[in-house]
Amino acid sequence: MAATPSGNAGAGARVTPGRRFGLPTWMSGFVRGVRSHAMVTAAVIVAVAGWTGAATAASQTAPPDTSHGGMAGMAGMAMGNAGPSGGHRMPPMPADIPMMPGMESLHPQGPAYVPGAGTDVASLPAGVASTPVEMKDGDTLNLDARLIRRTIKGATYAMYAFNGQYPGPLIRVHENATIYVRFTNHIDLPSSIHWHGVRLANKFDGSVGLTQDAVPPGGTFVYQVHFPDAGLYWYHPHVREDIEQNLGLFGNVVVTSPDPHYYNPANAEAVLILDDLLVDTQGIIPYGRDAADFTIMGRFGNLFLVNGEPNYHLAVHRGDVVRFFLTDASNARSYNLNFGGAPIKLVATDLSRYEHEQMVSNIVISPAQRYTAEVRFGTPGTFALTNRVQAVNNYAGEYFPEVDTLGTITVSADPTTADHAHEFTTLRANTAVTSDIDRYRKYFDKPVDHELALTVNIQGLPNSIVSFMIVDTMYFSPVEWNDGMPDMNWVSTAKEVHWIMRDVATGKEDMDINWHFTQGDVAKIRIRNDAKSMHPMGHPIHFHGQRFLVLARDGVPNPNLAWQDTELIPVGSAEDILLDASNPGTWMAHCHIAEHLEAGMHMMFTVDPAP
Amino acid sequence: MKADLLTMGTALMAAVVATGPGRNGSRLLRPAIDSISLEPTSDARGASGVAVLTRSPSPFGMSLTPDGHLRYDVHLHVSGLPADPRVYDGATAYVAWATVPDLSLARRLGPVAADGSSSGEVDWNKFIVLVTAEKTSVQPGTKPGAKPGAKPAAEPHWSGTILLKGVSPSTWMQRYGSHILNNGGNPQW
Ligand SMILES: [Cu+2]
């Protein structure tokens, strides 16, 4: 009989009455058929699933699909290894999570992609640490993306970098400055630069297929970037982020306010970009050439990097207050950051400070989000910067505590030269923020203008994977803090997994959605994360080119507002955001898990200029 | 054999796909992740309740303890309990509790008000919610099964009759390890 890939059973699927959770009759035949085997062979699973597996490792000459699921890509150079697995390598399994039976012969559909493959890594220029660059209004910065060589924990990798730096140059610029960035693409993929969170002119947003064509290898594009809002921003390509951003193409922009007291006094500033790379003993786990892999949960790394380094270190004096600018540049990972128990004052997020400063004991940050926090190290000693989460072991059906040490802060016994303890313990009310937001309060109770449902459609994964995923369907964490099923996640590509933003009113999905606003409109948008889909997951949703307030989470009003561009919507939750449609153009909104974006989770909205 | 395995995939999915297909043809049977149905014990037939879980407030949306436990506010609504708790061995109040699956920890969420409501906070990965009938002053008790004379637990523990119980949605998390494909085709149940 014809093998039919099946991810979601339709309404017509047969259910044995009264046997839904018992041992269905079909299983007796199954058990008979395989009883003599130690385990079900992978070959059978593959054949039954209609999974073409190794047979698809055909042409290695076409460029990666850089289309974001339908937008025009540009040709790049081809890389990849031939072979029965198409050049793919299974990610290492975490301790205590064994590989599922049959997985050893599965791999993502389509050939693998290894940037720089065929290049002698030793011949690549060595990457260097990021350097700050102060830019004045009208200045021009050349940003050159190219392959570099990096040695991390003794292993050498071919990676990408802007100007050879990891992360890319740290741009410091004043509020309301306009700078020019001449981007030259010397990597082996088409690329662009997106200025995340910046309310800049639409045509410089870097959204390939929407605001510009991709910059081909060897090509150049000049971005005119205007920074209307003080805050912390970052830049990254908007082409195959799952590859390009993951391999190091990102950097921060710190936009400073003319107000010298915008932040509290601090003894030091530290700009930290968090990232995680997925490696094994042979190198970076290859990517999908024609379609992103790891599309169920996104690619969770096992090598944690802060500013590109596995052992971030900062030395301060006893009593020092350090202002940390934090960005999550990971493809998929949300972090729960601790500073060794040192007290943390939360000051600002994406595009603004909070109405009220508040003390927190830890910081939860999701892909593309930023937080500005001041931390006081009052006692000498070593403070570990850690990610501490309750991770899931899907094999055991249990949680386990995961502690990832990202770096250390050593505090010397020497006292600080300027003690800001009083200012640190004083929580300010930022009246400038509140009075700006006051102009929008009349819209807080308006009806919902648009409602989005976040969901997924999975079709065509091997039956073995689907049957394991069904085991998963009884419970989903609101946010997944680790990958408890990396073998299965890896096999899923953008060809089988389709993440969906659905406009509830029209039923339109993803790039068929194009909401229209007029500049000056203030729109209430409800975003609901469907808990009943085949494999729900928390999604960090990002709106380009505008700013929004999170008015309410699950109907509970947000008591401390700040302007954001990215908000994590947990599974089963509904959140109301108030979009300040201030910036004309046709823009993208999408999930910032790189693999979900590649698997379709993006839509459009247009802000027409005010008449 | 191919047919058997293909059937397996379809039937297994059918087994968990409820009626009323959505846009993608699936509506999976799954306990709600934000509420706990409280079922009566034989001591409280006719009683019912629900414990609704909401995210504890946090500027990050997700409220986590430093070690990563999700912090939930638990809002109970119970009904059908006898108006006078004294029928339960002279108890004077109904009290809501949370405990962990091995019962080694307990947390007093709070008394059940006359309107059947109670609330508290829980930050365990998997937990059980209970409503018991207690004497007015709930003293720190000992863990169930503890030897007579054992030191009282640091946290107060219920000592009265359990009337309603329910497990956290996370308790429904299943094990890949028990999957038929991990057991040579021989189910282990
Ligand atoms: Cu997503």
Side-chain angles (χ1 to χ4, degrees):
Chain A
M1 74 182 274
T4 308
S6 49
N8 282 333
R14 282 165 296 141
V15 178
T16 308
R19 302 296 299 271
R20 283 190 170 187
F21 293 99
L23 182 64
T25 47
W26 52 265
M27 205 173 264
S28 57
F30 171 71
V31 171
R32 252 198 326 278
V34 296
R35 181 165 287 159
S36 59
H37 298 274
M39 63 171 58
V40 180
T41 66
V44 169
I45 294 166
V46 169
V48 166
W51 191 251
T52 48
T56 59
S59 164
Q60 299 290 322
T61 55
D65 182 353
T66 54
S67 65
H68 272 331
M71 292 179 292
M74 299 285 289
M77 287 156 36
M79 299 281 175
N81 303 321
S85 67
H88 291 286
R89 274 198 329 277
M90 180 182 278
M93 296 299 288
D96 302 325
I97 304 182
M99 191 179 70
M100 295 304 127
M103 291 304 301
E104 61 276 3
S105 69
L106 296 181
H107 57 79
Q109 293 270 41
Y113 187 71
V114 182
T119 308
D120 176 14
V121 177
S123 71
L124 295 172
V128 297
S130 180
T131 340
V133 50
E134 298 272 353
M135 299 199 67
K136 292 189 295 293
D137 190 46
D139 281 357
T140 297
L141 174 70
N142 291 309
L143 274 185
D144 176 12
R146 62 171 63 242
L147 276 164
I148 58 156
R149 168 171 46 91
R150 287 224 49 205
T151 302
I152 306 170
K153 288 187 170 177
T156 300
Y157 306 104
M159 294 180 66
Y160 294 143
F162 286 118
N163 294 3
Q165 299 174 22
Y166 58 86
L170 167 62
I171 299 172
R172 285 185 178 273
V173 66
H174 290 294
E175 182 182 300
N176 278 321
T178 300
I179 66 169
Y180 298 87
V181 176
R182 179 182 300 278
F183 168 56
T184 308
N185 181 12
H186 282 126
I187 67 167
D188 42 13
L189 293 175
S191 193
S192 74
I193 301 181
H194 168 57
W195 303 89
H196 188 113
V198 180
R199 295 192 290 166
L200 78 180
N202 180 259
K203 64 179 175 176
F204 302 115
D205 186 54
S207 295
V208 167
L210 200 57
T211 64
Q212 69 168 99
D213 292 333
V215 180
T220 290
F221 190 95
V222 178
Y223 294 91
Q224 177 185 317
V225 190
H226 177 68
F227 297 96
D229 308 292
L232 176 63
Y233 303 88
W234 67 301
Y235 57 92
H236 61 78
H238 225 282
V239 178
R240 286 306 295 266
E241 285 94 314
D242 64 309
I243 302 174
E244 299 186 11
Q245 182 186 299
N246 195 232
L247 285 170
L249 289 183
F250 51 77
N252 271 122
V253 184
V254 174
V255 182
T256 52
S257 164
D259 174 5
H261 305 295
Y262 187 81
Y263 298 118
N264 301 290
N267 304 94
E269 282 189 345
V271 181
L272 270 50
I273 300 195
L274 312 173
D275 187 24
D276 57 339
L277 205 54
L278 184 60
V279 300
D280 65 5
T281 53
Q282 295 179 62
I284 293 164
I285 298 299
Y287 302 86
R289 189 194 72 183
D290 301 338
D293 49 17
F294 291 97
T295 50
I296 294 178
M297 298 181 53
R299 179 181 284 238
F300 279 71
N302 52 7
L303 176 56
F304 290 82
L305 301 173
V306 174
N307 294 349
E309 293 286 358
N311 295 305
Y312 171 80
H313 181 250
L314 180 69
V316 301
H317 295 297
R318 174 168 57 87
D320 272 355
V321 172
V322 180
R323 178 158 46 250
F324 287 97
F325 293 100
L326 305 165
T327 303
D328 181 357
S330 296
N331 282 21
R333 184 182 298 273
S334 294
Y335 296 78
N336 180 38
L337 296 177
N338 287 245
F339 289 85
I344 305 166
K345 177 155 60 168
L346 185 66
V347 173
T349 183
D350 305 343
L351 284 97
S352 84
R353 294 170 295 173
Y354 286 92
E355 288 184 280
H356 308 281
E357 296 177 346
Q358 68 185 100
M359 300 304 297
V360 295
S361 51
N362 43 301
I363 291 178
V364 182
I365 187 168
S366 292
Q369 291 188 308
R370 287 92 64 209
Y371 290 105
T372 301
E374 293 158 359
V375 182
R376 184 166 187 270
F377 298 96
T379 54
T382 301
F383 291 73
L385 173 63
T386 52
N387 172 46
R388 300 181 65 191
V389 297
Q390 298 297 309
V392 162
N393 177 336
N394 283 117
Y395 185 82
E398 293 293 347
Y399 293 87
F400 65 96
E402 177 178 326
V403 180
D404 310 301
T405 300
L406 311 180
T408 50
I409 297 105
T410 48
V411 183
S412 72
D414 302 334
T416 180
T417 51
D419 192 343
H420 302 304
H422 175 69
E423 294 90 335
F424 182 75
T425 52
T426 306
L427 296 177
R428 297 197 312 194
N430 291 313
T431 49
V433 177
T434 300
S435 59
D436 178 29
I437 292 173
D438 280 345
R439 298 189 288 127
Y440 298 84
R441 288 190 207 275
K442 62 185 173 203
Y443 303 108
F444 282 17
D445 294 324
K446 73 180 299 203
V448 171
D449 295 290
H450 294 287
E451 183 169 345
L452 278 179
L454 311 179
T455 187
V456 67
N457 190 4
I458 300 175
Q459 299 283 346
L461 283 175
N463 275 356
S464 56
I465 291 184
V466 173
S467 69
F468 274 111
M469 287 175 67
I470 284 168
V471 174
D472 221 7
T473 56
M474 290 299 274
Y475 176 69
F476 286 96
S477 298
V479 173
E480 293 184 302
W481 307 98
N482 73 311
D483 184 349
M485 43 173 254
D487 46 353
M488 287 174 252
N489 183 21
W490 167 63
V491 170
S492 67
T493 76
K495 287 188 161 62
E496 298 86 34
V497 178
H498 178 202
W499 286 100
I500 296 167
M501 304 173 88
R502 180 181 304 136
D503 182 63
V504 171
T506 64
K508 287 184 176 177
E509 294 181 349
D510 299 329
M511 292 301 271
D512 289 337
I513 303 172
N514 187 358
W515 293 335
H516 276 263
F517 304 110
T518 302
Q519 187 177 10
D521 281 356
V522 178
K524 187 185 277 190
I525 298 161
R526 180 163 295 168
I527 310 175
R528 191 182 292 281
N529 191 341
D530 175 15
K532 304 244 184 222
S533 72
M534 176 70 181
H535 196 282
M537 188 173 173
H539 301 285
I541 298 295
H542 169 46
F543 280 75
H544 281 216
Q546 322 292 330
R547 60 178 189 171
F548 61 75
L549 300 168
V550 176
L551 294 183
R553 298 180 169 115
D554 296 325
V556 179
N558 180 0
N560 191 9
L561 300 170
W563 290 104
Q564 297 177 228
D565 56 59
T566 307
E567 169 72 359
L568 176 68
I569 314 292
V571 173
S573 280
E575 302 203 359
D576 289 349
I577 67 169
L578 196 69
L579 185 78
D580 178 17
S582 59
N583 196 8
T586 295
W587 305 88
M588 198 181 274
H590 63 90
C591 175
H592 221 287
I593 292 175
E595 291 76 13
H596 290 187
L597 170 59
E598 289 301 323
M601 203 164 199
H602 48 115
M603 54 164 276
M604 294 181 287
F605 65 97
T606 299
V607 179
D608 295 318
Chain B
M1 174 147 165
K2 279 187 180 182
D4 283 345
L5 278 170
L6 183 62
T7 308
M8 177 197 84
T10 312
L12 197 51
M13 281 179 280
V16 293
V17 173
T19 54
R23 162 66 177 72
N24 293 310
S26 75
R27 271 291 179 245
L28 297 168
L29 276 182
R30 182 180 300 166
I33 65 166
D34 58 356
S35 73
I36 299 170
S37 175
L38 299 175
E39 304 297 334
T41 65
S42 58
D43 289 309
R45 296 195 194 283
S48 64
V50 64
V52 175
L53 306 178
T54 59
R55 297 186 252 166
S56 296
S58 162
F60 311 109
M62 293 308 295
S63 183
L64 262 61
T65 62
D67 70 354
H69 284 87
L70 288 173
R71 292 167 64 232
Y72 290 107
D73 290 334
V74 186
H75 312 270
L76 281 86
H77 302 276
V78 306
S79 60
L81 291 172
D84 186 351
R86 277 181 295 186
V87 299
Y88 295 110
D89 201 19
T92 54
Y94 297 118
V95 178
W97 303 85
T99 183
V100 291
D102 72 356
L103 311 184
S104 60
L105 300 168
R107 184 169 300 165
R108 187 176 188 269
L109 297 175
V112 177
D115 66 355
S117 66
S118 184
S119 62
E121 191 185 296
V122 175
D123 56 11
W124 290 316
N125 289 326
K126 294 182 178 181
F127 56 93
I128 300 167
V129 172
L130 301 174
V131 174
T132 64
E134 301 286 344
K135 316 276 182 181
T136 304
S137 56
V138 176
Q139 299 297 332
T142 49
K143 293 174 188 176
K147 290 196 182 79
K151 232 175 85 184
E155 288 266 328
H157 210 293
W158 70 90
S159 56
T161 310
I162 297 174
L163 305 174
L164 289 159
K165 57 188 172 22
V167 297
S168 67
S170 51
T171 308
W172 289 95
M173 193 197 308
Q174 301 296 302
R175 304 165 51 229
Y176 287 1
S178 64
H179 193 284
I180 189 170
L181 293 181
N182 264 324
N183 292 292
N186 294 304
Q188 299 301 300
W189 44 80

